[in-house]
Amino acid sequence: MSDHDIATSAGPAWLGGVRDSLPLLSGYIPVAVSFGLVATQAGFSSLETLAISGLIYAGASQFVFVGMVASGAPLWLAVAMTLLINLRHVVYAPNLAPWLPPSRWWPWLMHGLTDQVFALAHARLPQLAERQRVGWFCGAALLAWLSWIAGSLLGALAGEWLMAQWPLLGEVMPFALPALFLVLVVPRFTSPRWTLALCVCIAAALAFTLGGLANVGIPLAAALGGLCFFTLRAPRLPGGQR
Amino acid sequence: MSVELWIALLAGALGTYLIRLLPLLWMQRRLRHSRERAGTESMPAWLGVLGPMMIAAVLGVSLVPRVPDATGWIATLVGLAATLLTWRRTRSLGLPVIVGVATFGVMTLVRPMLG
């Protein structure tokens, strides 16, 4: 669906959100299945795994929480690490706020504001009419949340069997995430200044991940990219565009 | 699961929710104030830059292949190129992702032959 189509398409807005978030599923489900498997192997029941995925709903921090609890770490430390990893989410809602029309639903919907849903919403909400935005976000966030819960349950109940049957699927499907993020980032390459800053950010995040610092790497790389953006002098163009 | 563990889980869940919610309430209040006082900058410039940077950072993190050997990187690069080319042609969201995953899948399948 093109940018023009999404702004003018008929039909319920929530359905548009569901449709737009479909690519997330091929990234979410394999990771959620892995989490379900890891959680049950760490001694958590299916119900407990379900509760962690449904309530915390933040991929990387869930793995850390389960791993720390299983290794006998103090519970306060497991909670502190969970929150530290998720701290990067603080900048997501303020970035979306200018496109959120007044609605009592937004506070509840913030539970679904993951990295991926933020990236999707940041690109899509400005293209939608105001009246469509709550419905769109509801459809996108709910599908992502339910797929994460369903994947975790599947992993808890049949993860071992699934991984043995289709080992390649677990390797291939998560590629949907970098592919999706690429499609969301590419339209931002609007000037040499933005291009350089974004490339610095992507390269820094990649380097942090290779160095085993994926979670801390996200805010650090974003800060480096931002620093690069503000350090670079924008060339003065006749039209005033930067 | 013990009561203590349930409390820890709920604390982690509530804390994560508040990390997502409270900045929204702060920004909404700021936007309301800026509407009342015309001319006030509604959104700090750094915040507008940080949004796209966070998406770029998540892209960077997700680029590392599950099997980070030479063929894994080649499969990633070819998959990204296919995604990008499809996006340039269609300017859409879903199709480039499907083509990217399919290309990456084919590259992963032929990897044993390359390696």
Side-chain angles (χ1 to χ4, degrees):
Chain A
M1 183 182 279
S2 71
D3 290 351
H4 175 73
D5 290 340
I6 186 109
T8 56
S9 65
W14 66 267
L15 206 57
V18 166
R19 202 167 35 225
D20 282 347
S21 67
L22 279 176
L24 290 181
L25 264 58
S26 58
Y28 267 32
I29 291 173
V31 181
V33 168
S34 306
F35 173 73
L37 181 61
V38 166
T40 47
Q41 284 173 344
F44 289 85
S45 71
S46 300
L47 179 70
E48 290 157 359
T49 305
L50 209 63
I52 295 170
S53 278
L55 296 175
I56 295 183
Y57 185 40
S61 70
Q62 290 182 210
F63 281 93
V64 170
F65 181 81
V66 162
M68 287 184 77
V69 170
S71 67
L75 290 177
W76 68 266
L77 193 61
V79 173
M81 280 304 292
T82 302
L83 298 182
L84 200 64
I85 291 168
N86 295 336
L87 205 57
R88 66 182 184 279
H89 292 186
V90 291
V91 300
Y92 291 166
N95 261 283
L96 296 182
W99 291 287
L100 306 185
S103 167
R104 62 194 166 90
W105 290 103
W106 290 121
W108 301 107
L109 290 171
M110 286 304 104
H111 179 57
L113 194 61
T114 60
D115 297 317
Q116 296 77 15
V117 171
F118 163 71
L120 200 58
H122 195 259
R124 283 308 198 200
L125 286 179
Q127 299 166 349
L128 296 169
E130 274 200 6
R131 61 187 158 74
Q132 293 180 307
R133 291 177 189 165
V134 177
W136 181 92
F137 193 95
C138 207
L142 261 180
L143 183 70
W145 186 55
L146 292 175
S147 74
W148 181 255
I149 292 174
S152 301
L153 187 63
L154 195 63
L157 295 174
E160 230 159 310
W161 179 81
L162 279 172
M163 293 295 179
Q165 288 291 312
W166 294 294
L168 207 60
L169 213 59
E171 197 180 325
V172 171
M173 296 303 273
F175 187 77
L177 290 184
L180 177 65
F181 293 138
L182 180 68
V183 173
L184 294 173
V185 164
V186 162
R188 310 268 170 191
F189 286 70
T190 50
S191 68
R193 191 186 188 194
W194 269 106
T195 302
L196 189 63
L198 287 167
C199 286
V200 164
C201 178
I202 293 167
L206 190 61
F208 281 125
T209 309
L210 290 172
L213 298 167
N215 290 307
V216 187
I218 293 175
L220 281 181
L224 272 174
L227 197 67
C228 179
F229 182 86
F230 286 113
T231 307
L232 286 172
R233 269 185 179 279
R236 291 185 183 281
L237 299 177
Q241 191 194 354
R242 290 185 163 197
Chain B
M1 200 156 75
S2 65
V3 175
E4 288 83 4
L5 194 48
W6 274 106
I7 292 170
L9 163 59
L10 291 176
L14 183 67
T16 301
Y17 175 63
L18 291 177
I19 285 171
R20 290 166 174 162
L21 172 70
L22 293 180
L24 173 76
L25 302 180
W26 167 76
M27 192 66 197
Q28 282 181 327
R29 206 175 62 172
R30 196 186 157 99
L31 287 169
R32 267 198 308 275
H33 283 191
S34 73
R35 268 195 292 271
E36 286 162 11
R37 289 176 296 173
T40 313
E41 193 70 48
S42 58
M43 187 159 152
W46 62 268
L47 202 55
V49 173
L50 208 54
M53 290 302 160
M54 289 297 278
I55 302 171
V58 179
L59 166 65
V61 167
S62 67
L63 283 179
V64 179
R66 285 209 164 180
V67 186
D69 56 7
T71 49
W73 282 108
I74 292 170
T76 301
L77 286 176
V78 175
L80 289 176
T83 307
L84 202 55
L85 285 174
T86 315
W87 176 81
R88 283 189 64 149
R89 286 185 71 89
T90 62
R91 302 273 160 167
S92 65
L93 184 74
L95 194 60
V97 175
I98 292 168
V99 171
V101 172
T103 309
F104 181 80
V106 170
M107 291 300 292
T108 306
L109 276 173
V110 300
R111 193 167 63 195
M113 289 175 242
L114 296 172

